[in-house]
Amino acid sequence: MAEPTKYLLPESEIPTHWVNLLADLGPPPHPPLHPATKEPLGPDDLAPIFPMGLIEQEVSAEPEIEIPDEVREIYKLWRPTPLYRARRLERALDTPAHIYYKYEGVSPAGSHKPNTAVAQAYFNRREGVRKLATETGAGQWGSALALACRLFDMECEVFMVGVSFDQKPYRRAMMETWGATVHRSPSELTDAGRAQAEHSTGSLGIAISEAVEMAAKSDDTNYSLGSVLNHVCMHQTVIGQEAMAQLEMAGEYPEVVVGCVGGGSNFSGIAYPMIRRRLREGIETRFVAAEPAACPTLTRGAYRYDFGDTVGLTPLIPMYTLGHDFVPPPVHAGGLRYHGDAPSLSALVKEGVVEARAIAQTAAFDAAVRFAQAEGILPAPEPAHALRVVFDEAEAAREAGAERVILVNLCGHGHFDMAAYDDYHAGKLTDLEFSEADMQAALEQLPEAPAIA
């Protein structure tokens, strides 16, 4: 009998709970701080821009949070997502490694982002919020929230990073099709945008500032974030839970788990359920976070308190950072152009539970093209960085003669990224690097805050 290529779960196997890894990390030694007072942040400080349902999840110490039935019902539009055994890629790489990829590109928005967008829209709508404001880098988060708002009959306003707004017009059209209003960031609509007008390519930090300002000034509008915060990372853990069940169907368990990292939502989704097993049961799975060499927060950033946005409207959070006013170069992986990382992920990297690798842009696209030629699926530029790590791990398995099981989160498709592929095929892509001078300049601009170990 032929070996299966994909492993599928019925809708009844959609997870019933989100995994809250904070319960396994112990009391947070470094709490988020109020941006003005520098004192530990309390739930009331977040109430002006977040619903209480999400605030409770953000600070919860419960190991699991039940997924509301209304959210699970919408998840059925695309969940459970398929797990593929990349047999053709294994043959192309001549590796004894068993390579599996969890494919999140089957969602209506084409990425993993609706897993949290639907949840956030639900909790906001339950508390009577009429509109959500947000930022988006490559457009995947913005399109996911536009979809979620449409499903819950809410308005959606999106500040899209300028370079991606220009590079990816069809992402904008997708958001507008679902009823969202999209602005190029920095814009003239907010004080934050006007103050950052000189940075014409924009950044996620600037776009966050604009969205937070709009939410803070509007009684009927809340802010919604697509990564970094604990409740966002938690919502994504449906990915890893499904993957564990599917790998059990295959009779395997991963020795290496790989995901790309901008803020941490994609990586946490695939990895956190299995990191819990490592922390609780001692299973020696390795976890590798792939980031762009042009924005190397985990591999070269400082572990410090910093603002989550450029202007300084958000709380100070403990994370690896390149400095809140750092504007990354315009690499095509727009979803990875963020100056910091989720506090939970930063802590795991600091403790050595998670490895981090910086990947050059051309190496990522080389891996994406080779993957597409073997498996047929066109990856987005963001998971292409993770695929580069998979190739390296597969080569290491070949050299060692080891049947290593590798799992990667293919978090989105590249159908709206053809301009990037066109540049790659034309030889126009360059490897933009983060210099030591950039790092020193960023460190000088970090806010005064308590030191963290």
Side-chain angles (χ1 to χ4, degrees):
M1 181 180 294
E3 295 287 342
T5 297
K6 58 183 178 293
Y7 297 86
L8 304 174
L9 295 171
E11 291 177 357
S12 60
E13 293 299 309
I14 294 173
T16 58
H17 291 72
W18 293 302
V19 171
N20 181 18
L21 195 64
L22 287 192
D24 296 86
L25 299 180
H30 309 296
L33 305 179
H34 192 284
T37 66
K38 306 297 192 296
E39 295 295 323
L41 204 68
D44 291 343
D45 296 317
L46 298 173
I49 59 173
F50 291 116
M52 192 53 64
L54 294 180
I55 294 172
E56 290 172 352
Q57 292 178 18
E58 185 66 22
V59 301
S60 175
E62 293 296 320
E64 294 182 336
I65 303 293
E66 186 174 4
I67 303 174
D69 289 341
E70 294 91 330
V71 173
R72 291 185 77 241
E73 189 64 30
I74 292 176
Y75 278 176
K76 290 179 182 179
L77 289 173
W78 70 96
R79 303 218 71 84
T81 59
L83 177 77
Y84 287 84
R85 170 79 182 271
R87 299 182 186 278
R88 289 173 175 79
L89 180 63
E90 293 168 11
R91 290 195 292 270
L93 297 178
D94 188 26
T95 179
H98 296 183
I99 301 172
Y100 293 87
Y101 58 96
K102 182 72 164 155
Y103 187 44
E104 292 292 298
V106 297
S107 79
S111 77
H112 66 297
K113 293 293 187 179
N115 297 328
T116 185
V118 169
Q120 291 188 49
Y122 166 79
F123 284 104
N124 275 282
R125 193 73 180 93
R126 192 179 70 174
E127 295 184 24
V129 176
R130 186 181 64 85
K131 183 168 78 171
L132 292 178
T134 195
E135 75 292 327
T136 194
Q140 289 188 344
W141 167 243
S143 56
L145 192 66
L147 167 67
C149 286
R150 173 53 49 202
L151 292 172
F152 285 103
D153 194 26
M154 301 172 69
E155 294 182 34
C156 182
E157 196 140 2
V158 182
F159 290 88
M160 188 173 184
V161 174
V163 64
S164 293
F165 186 96
D166 299 336
Q167 289 174 343
K168 304 178 183 185
Y170 299 123
R171 278 283 177 195
R172 171 175 49 80
M174 192 177 196
M175 293 180 246
E176 292 172 343
T177 298
W178 280 319
T181 301
V182 187
H183 309 291
R184 189 186 191 281
S185 176
S187 76
E188 288 290 320
L189 299 174
T190 66
D191 293 337
R194 289 187 289 272
Q196 297 295 319
E198 63 183 291
H199 300 297
S200 61
T201 58
S203 72
L204 275 168
I206 297 171
I208 290 172
S209 294
E210 294 206 79
V212 170
E213 179 182 326
M214 173 166 284
K217 291 181 176 180
S218 304
D219 292 336
D220 63 351
T221 303
N222 268 358
Y223 171 65
S224 187
L225 184 64
S227 192
V228 179
L229 295 179
N230 183 56
H231 67 268
V232 182
C233 294
M234 184 178 65
H235 296 157
Q236 294 295 350
T237 59
V238 293
I239 303 171
Q241 293 181 75
E242 289 180 5
M244 290 169 68
Q246 290 161 317
L247 283 168
E248 188 174 348
M249 293 168 62
E252 306 217 74
Y253 194 81
E255 292 156 271
V256 184
V257 178
V258 187
C260 62
V261 171
S265 70
N266 157 59
F267 179 85
S268 62
I270 192 74
Y272 278 14
M274 283 167 265
I275 289 177
R276 166 166 285 177
R277 287 201 66 185
R278 172 171 164 171
L279 295 175
R280 291 185 176 185
E281 303 173 31
I283 297 176
E284 286 300 318
T285 300
R286 291 173 47 231
F287 300 92
V288 185
E291 64 181 9
C295 191
T297 53
L298 294 172
T299 51
R300 296 182 61 190
Y303 191 46
R304 298 273 294 275
Y305 270 110
D306 198 8
F307 295 110
D309 71 310
T310 297
V311 175
L313 300 177
T314 62
L316 288 159
I317 55 177
M319 61 181 177
Y320 282 100
T321 178
L322 299 176
H324 60 278
D325 60 352
F326 172 64
V327 179
V331 293
H332 280 284
L336 307 185
R337 294 177 69 250
Y338 184 59
H339 66 270
D341 299 280
S344 57
L345 175 57
S346 295
L348 290 164
V349 171
K350 182 70 174 175
E351 294 300 318
V353 177
V354 173
E355 306 168 30
R357 296 187 199 173
I359 305 299
Q361 181 169 233
T362 55
F365 272 88
D366 174 71
V369 170
R370 293 169 65 190
F371 180 89
Q373 291 174 350
E375 292 293 314
I377 294 174
L378 196 71
E382 290 81 9
H385 291 70
L387 291 174
R388 178 68 260 174
V389 172
V390 170
F391 281 34
D392 293 342
E393 292 290 332
E395 181 179 353
R398 177 170 56 82
E399 292 177 352
E403 286 191 355
R404 190 171 298 158
V405 179
I406 304 169
L407 171 66
V408 63
N409 193 8
L410 190 56
C411 59
H413 63 63
H415 299 172
F416 293 107
D417 301 288
M418 296 316 299
Y421 278 93
D422 197 32
D423 285 348
Y424 172 79
H425 293 306
K428 296 179 181 178
L429 285 188
T430 57
D431 287 333
L432 303 166
E433 296 288 341
F434 183 70
S435 70
E436 189 60 32
D438 290 333
M439 185 72 256
Q440 293 306 314
L443 290 174
E444 291 173 3
Q445 298 302 315
L446 289 174
E448 290 186 12
I452 56 178

